[in-house]
Amino acid sequence: MPLNLILPCAGSGTRLGLAYAKETHLIAENTALLDLSLRLCEPHREKIQSITVVLTPEKAEIVRFLDKWRKAFEIRFCYFNDLNFEWAGSILSAEPLFAERNLVLLPDSYLREKADQPIVQTMDELLENHDVAFAYMRESEAERLSTLGALTIAADGRVTAFCDKPDADQRGFNGFWGAFGFRNIAGRPLLEMMTQSIRREPVDISTLGLDITSFELQGYDDLGNWPSLHSFIRNFT
């Protein structure tokens, strides 16, 4: 069953401070940040049912920008619901457009997939038998974990704990997520829990009663700040 790709583009981009939507910032000729996510999916078009982009009225240029991709994908747009909060709320704003299986990619991240585990294909396969799947990077340094979505991943790939940017005890966390996918029935409870964590409320992922698994990425770049972005551009081909 094909995936619905969700691209949350409603953020204000304060770390970059651009006068336009950060997702349209060019990193090379004819290549903006938003193109990176779509190029990742392009070889697996048959597994993409639709693309859902969440934005705000102030970022309407994204609609025009994505016109070049409309022959490759069915692209839908929805506005951020002000009743929601932060990046998890941006994804939750797309709930009326959730499909049976959904994949979330952050447009200000660059993911390098393992040759034997393409992100789109692997997510599609895992969501056949699991409620949620995280694409993750291994990480043990507390300073690094404190800036990302930290995970505890068991030896069999099960995800047993989650915390968004843990600022206290990082013991037990051994990775962070770069992308994730979920079945429709798991979307709301998962994203509500993520919102609680963003608000610095304690969460216990086991209380969701969901089957949550994971697979490892080859690499990850956070392109939401200038030092990382400049470094990435220097090495981008």
Side-chain angles (χ1 to χ4, degrees), residues 136-146 148 150-151 153 166 169-176:
Y136 75 93
M137 289 290 296
R138 295 190 181 277
E139 185 59 67
S140 58
E141 291 188 10
E143 183 177 353
R144 180 84 163 140
L145 288 170
S146 68
L148 297 160
L151 303 172
I153 302 135
D169 188 359
Q170 285 106 12
R171 286 176 298 178
F173 295 118
N174 57 1
F176 63 88

Side-chain angles (χ1 to χ4, degrees), residues 5-57:
L5 171 64
I6 301 174
L7 298 172
C9 299
S12 58
T14 53
R15 291 188 297 169
L16 293 181
L18 297 169
Y20 49 88
K22 67 177 179 180
E23 295 84 0
T24 64
H25 182 69
L26 291 176
I27 59 171
E29 186 176 3
N30 298 320
T31 303
L33 291 177
L34 195 50
D35 290 313
L36 298 177
S37 296
L38 295 168
R39 288 181 182 177
L40 187 70
C41 298
E42 193 172 19
H44 310 280
R45 277 191 245 178
E46 76 284 356
K47 294 187 179 296
I48 302 294
Q49 169 184 321
S50 53
I51 294 177
T52 302
V53 182
V54 185
L55 42 74
T56 59

Side-chain angles (χ1 to χ4, degrees), residues 155-213:
D156 62 358
R158 288 181 303 110
V159 175
T160 60
F162 166 86
C163 184
D164 187 74
K165 301 178 178 65
D167 55 8
D169 188 359
Q170 285 106 12
R171 286 176 298 178
F173 295 118
N174 57 1
F176 63 88
W177 66 267
F180 66 94
F182 58 87
R183 290 181 176 177
N184 193 353
I185 58 169
R188 175 164 283 277
L190 174 69
L191 291 162
E192 286 181 343
M193 186 212 71
M194 289 176 153
T195 300
Q196 290 176 329
S197 185
I198 295 170
R199 293 184 184 276
R200 293 295 184 262
E201 299 173 14
V203 298
D204 181 354
I205 204 168
S206 67
T207 63
L208 294 176
L210 299 173
D211 182 351
I212 305 176
T213 191

Side-chain angles (χ1 to χ4, degrees), residues 74-135:
E74 176 191 347
I75 303 178
R76 309 177 296 177
F77 299 92
C78 67
Y79 282 136
F80 179 84
N81 186 333
D82 290 334
L83 297 177
N84 296 326
F85 183 70
E86 260 277 1
W87 59 262
S90 183
I91 302 163
L92 192 54
S93 296
E95 184 178 21
L97 300 177
F98 285 176
E100 180 57 32
R101 299 178 190 171
N102 304 274
L103 165 63
V104 176
L105 296 178
L106 302 183
D108 59 359
S109 298
Y110 182 71
L111 308 180
R112 292 186 294 279
E113 54 194 12
K114 291 189 173 183
D116 61 342
Q117 288 187 314
I119 292 171
V120 172
Q121 179 179 323
T122 304
M123 195 67 74
D124 180 54
E125 293 171 354
L126 288 176
L127 291 178
E128 286 186 15
N129 301 303
H130 303 276
D131 298 316
V132 180
F134 285 96

